[in-house]
Amino acid sequence: MHTRSDNRTSVADWLARAHADPDAAHREWAERGVAMLPLGVRFDAVRIPFSVVRAALGTDNRDAIGRTLPQMLGGPVIQDGEKWTYPLVPTGGASAWSARAGNYRGRGRLAVPDTDQLGPPGMYWTVAMAAPGRLCEPAAVASMIEAGVSALSGKEGR
C-alpha cells in the first residue's frame, strides 16, 4: 500500500537530488523547514506577485486558491507569505518566457519548503507536488498571469 507519507518522501527525495548533496537538503528541511535548492537542475520556477494570482482567480480565500491552482496549473506551487507565488515548471523555458508579470527563474536558488509544510507560517506548498517530477505547465502559468494582469488592469481603469 502506497501512503501519502511514502509519496511525500519520494517527492522530497526527488527534490533533494537537485542539490549537489541531497543529504544536505534533507538536513536543511529538518533544521530550518526550507532547503535552498538550485534552479535549472530538476525544475525552474516562475515568481509571480500574489496579487496577480488573487486577481486571476478572483478570490483572496486561501482554501479556494489551493483548490483551483492544481486544476489550472497542473503542478506544485510554493507560497511565500502574501507577497510571492512560485509555480515549479520544467527546466529550460526561460528563452520562451513572455508573460509580463511573472519573473522566470532558471538560475540561482529557491527556498523550497519541506514537503509537510502545507500552510503558513513561512514558505509553504499551496499545491503539494503530487508525484516526483510532476511540474506545472508553463503555458498554463503564463495564461494565469495574463488573466491576473488583465483583471488588475480592469480594476485600475474603473
Side-chain angles (χ1 to χ4, degrees), residues 58-129:
T59 184
D60 289 332
N61 183 287
R62 183 177 293 126
D63 292 333
I65 290 169
R67 285 189 306 271
T68 305
L69 281 178
Q71 297 154 357
M72 184 179 273
L73 303 181
V77 180
I78 296 171
Q79 187 65 40
D80 185 2
E82 295 292 314
K83 189 163 184 164
W84 302 110
T85 302
Y86 294 89
L88 301 186
V89 296
T91 60
S95 63
W97 189 254
S98 63
R100 296 177 282 171
N103 179 3
Y104 192 98
R105 299 191 58 213
R107 285 189 239 148
R109 294 187 172 274
L110 179 67
V112 175
D114 186 295
T115 55
D116 290 331
Q117 187 66 31
L118 302 175
M123 292 188 83
Y124 63 93
W125 294 95
T126 297
V127 180
M129 184 175 271

Side-chain angles (χ1 to χ4, degrees), residues 11-27:
V11 166
D13 289 342
W14 185 86
L15 289 165
R17 286 193 303 274
H19 198 290
D21 178 0
D23 289 337
H26 285 287
R27 282 192 303 276

